[in-house]
Amino acid sequence: MNGKRTAYRITVLVILLILCIITFFISVGIGSLRLPVNDIIRAIFIEKEGVNRQIIWNVRLPRTLVAALVGVCLSLSGGILQGVMRNPLAGPNIIGVTSGAGFAGMLVLIYMPQYSYLLTPVSFLGAFGATILIYILSWKNGVKPMRMILAGVAVSAFLAAGIDALMTLYPERLQGAVDFMIGGLSARTWKHFRIIWPYALAGFILVNLFARRLNILMLGDEMASNLGLNVNATRMIFIILSSLLAASAVSVVGLLGFVGLIVPHITRLIIGSDYRFLFPASAIFGAGLVMGCDTIARMVMDPIELPVGIIMSMLGAPFFLYLLRGGMKRDYRS
Amino acid sequence: MESKRNIFRGCIGFILVITMLVFILAGCENSSTLNEQENSKDTDEVLQMDEDEIDNQNNNEQENNAEKNSEEGKEKLTFTDGLGNQVEITKNPERTIVVYNSMLDIWYLAGGTAIGRPDSKDMVNVPPEAVDIEIVGQVTQPNTEKILSLEPDLVILSTSMSKHKALKEILDQNGIENLILSYQTYRDFEEILDIFSQINGDKKVIEEVIPGIKRQVQDIVDRCPKENGPKVLILLASTSSVKCETTATHTGYMVDMLGGINIVGDPQADGQTRVQFSMEKVIQEDPDMIFIIPMGSNTEAVDERIKKDLTSNEAWAGLRAVKEGNVHYLPSEFFLKKPNTRYPEAFEYLAKLLYPEVFGE
């Protein structure tokens, strides 16, 4: 029985991986400029100059890679939080990542527009800082998930009020700020890729190493302590990891929250709740989803682009509801 | 126990510091008062917040087919407003409030006087005669009670402000004449000037000022080469996304009139002014020049930053316009705010950039 289950899960992982790779090639392959496959390969490996090289190498490839890594980071972050908090609604917004990055980012864009290159590090610090603040505020002989969620809601509401205040006071400086709030992959290049890949890679390796611990934590605090797990330390490590992952993604592409909430749920419905499989599956699925949605966002009204978040929510939400209503006959434990 | 209390105190302190920071920083740069403002998260609304800056509204043509009916001694004119409705306006109003400074300027130009205007930080488009009239709130947040208490007989509003549409309903309910207009482009300027001068019945404006401005602009347009205009990309002041202007915006429309080819093209939907454009398409089209629209904070530093961004970003740096230094930061007096009487100067500024060989000194 157990072996059969494992085989099923590995098959699912392999299928997801193949789909993800296909999506990658589609995403790099199509765009405003339509090129046959051999021209694309030439543009990547052989040409050193020219329009094709410029478009494929400097625009499409980095954008697709950033999309994939953002998908990985946000999905893993969401997956961790839903586990640690034992709450299906947990996502990067709950630990203040979204509002922290949003508020810090707005401060830069509104007060120091000439330092807009600081946007990424500052919003990263804002996101991580908000998590730490929420963690400290909810500490009382250890952190209880429910208390942390409530503290998160309160701190997020507070920071959101700050964002709203800035928006009302500086209507004339809003353009860049609104783009950041909606989030998107437009004009993302190698610079952004270089920021995000170390987090994505380190995060991916670490969560998979710790997956078993999260499985134990899921049994409940008491049981987990009895099994010799330091509940508080484990929880803290996971929360920090999750915050770093989400912060790196959010600081690069803006406030794209929905992936983190929905991808872990969808993969959980497909592959079950064992984190040793759930983590890699979420990462792969998240990467594929963001790449795919961004390709659609680029192509729907070509050459006008839509923010990827819109496509993601429009496609993701109905699909998620379909799974939730029993379109997929698998056990759903959250 | 003690340490826990310290942490708690630290956190409260942190929150207080952030709160103060927001308000102190806000206070430094913005002395204007904050009216009872709802914190609206609606980005749509937010996008339409500054006049001239972000004009997103449908660009209905305001036909000025004025019909004159005399009743009760007061002459009335009929106009089609910016929302496409027929409205009757009594001629020669005495207590006018103009809730949009670009239009206030035209109103005075057309021989009108006003008793109320919105607050303005930089006083651009506030004519000297109107400096001391009553302030009726922010352009984005007009104060309804203040406006009603001034007992106006005409209120002039803008379609680019969502709050103005709400205000229009209240004015209609109170039986106060109002005219809501769309001011996006040079064409709107001509139409609004025409409508305003009819309302004020100023013959001199109708016969001299308007034709004068029109002629000067037409002269510049006529001097431009008729074909093979340069390919232009009009970018909003940020390289973190490729937000571009269509031909339906203030600057887009002017470039179009002068024969520049906007690579983003005409809006695909009515009123579509700014679009997220494909970087790939930009590279394919390889525009001859890039115009950067100033944002609210038009400082040299921002200008420098954008130039640096353009040259350090692999995707932008490869563009011919960037390599050849054909990236132009447009001055806000003409291209962020509406130039109104200075339209000829604004057109000339653009024409010099587009055709240095024709307009260069």
Side-chain angles (χ1 to χ4, degrees), chain A residues 155-265:
Chain A
V155 170
S156 294
F158 180 79
L159 292 170
I163 295 176
D164 286 345
L166 290 173
M167 285 181 138
T168 343
L169 290 169
Y170 296 98
E172 77 282 2
R173 296 187 190 173
L174 274 183
Q175 191 58 52
V178 169
D179 289 344
F180 180 70
M181 300 291 291
I182 295 173
L185 285 152
S186 169
R188 295 297 176 272
T189 60
W190 290 113
K191 184 175 81 182
H192 303 98
F193 176 77
R194 285 192 287 269
I195 293 171
I196 198 174
W197 77 263
Y199 293 99
L201 183 67
F204 184 76
I205 293 171
L206 287 175
V207 292
N208 283 302
L209 283 178
F210 294 147
R212 199 181 282 270
R213 290 194 186 191
L214 194 53
N215 279 342
I216 298 173
L217 198 63
M218 292 301 289
L219 299 171
D221 287 8
E222 211 170 312
M223 183 86 101
S225 320
N226 288 343
L227 286 169
L229 189 75
N230 184 339
V231 174
N232 275 323
T234 312
R235 206 174 265 144
M236 193 175 80
I237 291 171
F238 273 115
I239 289 169
I240 288 175
L241 204 54
S242 151
S243 173
L244 287 174
L245 280 167
S248 65
V250 164
S251 61
V252 166
V253 294
L255 311 186
L256 270 185
F258 192 56
V259 200
L261 181 64
I262 207 163
V263 167
H265 280 299

Side-chain angles (χ1 to χ4, degrees), chain B residues 152-172:
Chain B
D153 51 13
L154 175 63
V155 179
I156 293 169
L157 305 164
S158 161
T159 52
S160 350
M161 302 287 144
S162 53
K163 291 268 156 65
H164 285 203
K165 287 175 197 159
L167 179 59
K168 178 182 162 50
E169 278 178 28
I170 296 171
L171 293 171
D172 284 341

Side-chain angles (χ1 to χ4, degrees), chain B residues 83-210:
Chain B
L83 302 173
N85 302 318
Q86 296 282 319
V87 282
E88 280 204 332
I89 304 293
T90 309
K91 265 187 95 170
N92 298 317
E94 278 155 13
R95 299 182 63 78
T96 309
I97 296 174
V98 187
V99 200
Y100 198 71
N101 282 325
S102 299
M103 289 193 203
L104 180 75
D105 189 44
I106 308 181
W107 182 251
Y108 274 80
L109 180 66
T113 55
I115 56 163
R117 64 168 175 88
D119 195 13
S120 172
K121 282 176 215 162
D122 49 17
M123 300 304 272
V124 171
N125 283 336
V126 177
E129 307 94 299
V131 169
D132 294 325
I133 62 178
E134 294 275 352
I135 304 291
V136 295
Q138 306 281 351
V139 65
T140 51
Q141 294 278 347
N143 186 326
T144 310
E145 287 188 16
K146 179 85 185 175
I147 290 173
L148 292 179
S149 73
L150 289 172
E151 298 183 344
D153 51 13
L154 175 63
V155 179
I156 293 169
L157 305 164
S158 161
T159 52
S160 350
M161 302 287 144
S162 53
K163 291 268 156 65
H164 285 203
K165 287 175 197 159
L167 179 59
K168 178 182 162 50
E169 278 178 28
I170 296 171
L171 293 171
D172 284 341
Q173 283 162 16
N174 285 282
I176 297 170
E177 282 188 7
N178 60 78
L179 184 56
I180 186 162
L181 296 169
S182 157
Y183 187 8
Q184 314 266 345
T185 63
Y186 173 71
R187 187 185 57 195
D188 296 335
F189 166 74
E190 286 188 345
E191 278 166 8
I192 291 171
L193 184 54
D194 197 53
I195 291 173
F196 285 181
S197 50
Q198 286 187 51
I199 294 175
N200 288 308
D202 193 325
K203 285 251 157 49
K204 186 167 166 282
V205 177
I206 298 174
E207 284 162 14
E208 290 171 28
V209 180
I210 301 178

Side-chain angles (χ1 to χ4, degrees), chain B residues 292-330:
Chain B
I292 297 176
I293 294 287
M295 300 295 282
S297 46
N298 182 18
T299 60
E300 304 249 310
V302 178
D303 184 2
E304 276 308 301
R305 163 74 0 222
I306 285 170
K307 281 188 182 145
K308 237 178 244 170
D309 282 352
L310 281 176
T311 41
S312 68
N313 181 319
E314 296 96 338
W316 286 106
L319 290 176
R320 195 161 43 85
V322 177
K323 281 186 197 153
E324 294 174 2
N326 274 323
V327 178
H328 304 288
Y329 207 82
L330 300 180

Side-chain angles (χ1 to χ4, degrees), chain A residues 28 33 35 38-62 190, chain B residues 280 283-284 314-315 318:
Chain A
V28 176
L33 176 74
L35 288 175
N38 53 341
D39 278 3
I40 290 170
I41 293 167
R42 272 176 57 87
I44 295 176
F45 296 105
I46 301 167
E47 287 178 34
K48 285 281 162 275
E49 258 167 58
V51 175
N52 289 359
R53 163 84 180 177
Q54 180 73 358
I55 288 179
I56 301 291
W57 182 259
N58 280 338
V59 178
R60 220 181 275 169
L61 191 60
W190 290 113
Chain B
E280 297 182 12
I283 295 175
Q284 262 175 281
E314 296 96 338

